[in-house]
Amino acid sequence: MSRLHVVSGKGGTGKTTVAAALALALAAEGRRTLLVEVEGRQGIAQLFETEPLPYEERKIATAPGGGEVHALAIDPEFALLDYLHMFYKLGSAGRALKKLGAIDFATTIAPGLRDVLLTGKACEAVRRKGKDGRFVYDSVVMDAPPTGRITRFLNVNDEVAGLARTGPIHNQAQAVMRVLKSPQTAVHMVTLLEEMPVQETADGIAELRADGLPTGGVIINMVRPAVLDHEAVEAVANGQRTAVAKALSQAGLGGARRGGMAERLVDPLLEQAREHAERVALERAQRAELTGLGLPLHELELLTDGIDLAGLYRLATDLRKQWPA
């Protein structure tokens, strides 16, 4: 079973929310999960209604069954200091470089280095073991960059390993790629039942597969409930006034007799019903496209009141029911 869950998706699909819900779901029943943020937006802190996260692993939530969710907002500068200390023993010297601005300079002029540090820190958390020889975290969830950048973001260590043929940089890059291209990792895509997000999801999965990166599942977010059943949708699409009046009546909007409330509501509501039918048809087509990708599909409902902490736990519960044990 995968231990590193990388969550990506088109902007606006709610990937950070889904990553947080997945972390809660995976931490259930006494397990420990680390939720990692790499984009510097402090989205995790906002979702869990806590202070901005420092560069340290901190418990932010208790999952159902007593599990724990810890979080880390990875800062490239501090990650580089960790790297310098780990491989070159530059403790105080590394801090001096930071004061001189050299760390910020290095991560600014070499964007690839920034991604190496971000992925490297997440993979280190996956591999880390305690004194008892057991993994410190049962799962690590990364709120990753959007779909358009995810393949290059995850593959940057391959490029670095090719440039640095020997030495600690080469060895570190190879170690990271061994995790990212192994069954320990699964890259999940968050999408909506809309044409552009679905197309980006399909393109992103094709790129991941072409580069040998392991795909996980597709999480369809913000799924709206069906207002009308299949028969009513078909009736609306075909303009069947009597059937529409009957459907309205069954929904509790008065009797279907001529001149009744349901009959009077037909005309003003028929256009909205047609729009609803068009949306349902579009969503069916998009769901069929996603099914054709050959990956597990998971669906999360649209929370009409927005996302607060209670809503996040609700999504986690729904996701837990759908996730493989």
Side-chain angles (χ1 to χ4, degrees), residues 8-323:
S8 182
K10 186 181 184 302
T13 59
K15 70 176 180 63
T16 299
T17 299
V18 171
L22 179 58
L24 280 168
L26 292 171
E29 305 302 333
R31 293 188 287 270
R32 284 166 55 94
T33 297
L34 177 65
L35 177 57
V36 175
E37 182 176 70
V38 299
E39 295 186 280
R41 295 184 292 105
Q42 290 291 340
I44 293 173
Q46 295 174 34
L47 281 170
F48 285 94
E49 302 175 5
T50 186
E51 295 295 320
L53 298 172
Y55 183 67
E56 64 180 34
E57 293 161 25
R58 171 180 294 183
K59 180 181 174 182
I60 60 169
T62 300
E68 296 179 352
V69 175
H70 295 244
L72 171 66
I74 303 179
D75 181 285
E77 293 186 22
F78 284 106
L80 182 52
L81 288 175
D82 276 355
Y83 181 86
L84 293 174
H85 176 70
M86 186 180 302
F87 291 103
Y88 296 100
K89 310 303 179 186
L90 295 180
S92 58
R95 289 190 292 273
L97 287 172
K98 177 174 173 59
K99 289 181 180 178
L100 292 172
I103 303 297
D104 182 59
F105 178 73
T107 54
T108 300
I109 66 169
L113 173 61
R114 179 182 180 278
D115 290 349
V116 166
L117 297 168
L118 296 173
T119 54
K121 184 64 178 177
C123 289
E124 182 275 326
V126 172
R127 299 190 304 262
R128 191 190 314 157
K129 293 184 178 181
K131 294 180 179 179
D132 58 0
R134 301 175 61 185
F135 288 114
V136 172
Y137 295 107
D138 298 291
S139 302
V140 175
V141 178
M142 180 194 293
D143 178 20
T147 315
R149 288 208 308 119
I150 187 62
T151 301
R152 180 171 176 78
F153 173 77
L154 295 176
N155 254 343
V156 68
N157 286 276
D158 250 354
E159 299 176 14
V160 171
L163 293 173
R165 298 293 182 180
T166 58
I169 294 178
H170 173 83
N171 295 337
Q172 166 70 358
Q174 281 201 322
V176 170
M177 290 313 300
R178 279 196 294 271
V179 173
L180 293 179
K181 290 193 172 183
S182 76
Q184 292 185 79
T185 298
V187 185
H188 309 293
M189 291 295 189
V190 181
T191 189
L192 307 178
L193 288 175
E194 299 173 5
E195 188 172 356
M196 286 187 64
V198 168
Q199 186 59 57
E200 281 205 21
T201 297
D203 292 343
I205 289 171
E207 289 181 4
L208 290 169
R209 286 170 168 167
D211 281 48
L213 290 161
T215 52
V218 175
I219 303 167
I220 306 172
N221 196 22
M222 304 185 208
V223 177
R224 289 172 285 188
V227 178
L228 303 175
D229 61 22
H230 179 74
E231 181 180 347
V233 169
E234 293 299 320
V236 169
N238 296 324
Q240 299 176 22
R241 286 176 51 84
T242 303
V244 173
K246 181 180 178 181
L248 292 171
S249 176
Q250 290 173 344
L253 296 175
R257 66 186 182 279
R258 187 172 183 80
M261 182 184 295
E263 174 67 22
R264 293 195 304 271
L265 286 173
V266 170
D267 287 333
L269 292 181
L270 192 56
E271 185 59 34
Q272 292 185 37
R274 285 197 187 97
E275 292 176 0
H276 175 73
E278 290 173 1
R279 176 175 67 80
V280 170
L282 174 63
E283 290 179 351
R284 286 176 184 164
Q286 298 308 314
R287 189 178 278 107
E289 291 285 337
L290 294 171
T291 301
L293 296 174
L295 295 175
L297 298 184
H298 312 283
E299 298 195 12
L300 293 175
E301 65 177 316
L302 172 67
L303 300 183
T304 54
D305 294 332
I307 296 293
D308 56 11
L309 197 53
L312 189 62
Y313 274 86
R314 180 175 168 183
L315 292 180
T317 300
D318 289 346
L319 201 52
R320 185 183 167 203
K321 292 176 181 176
Q322 303 175 53
W323 213 257

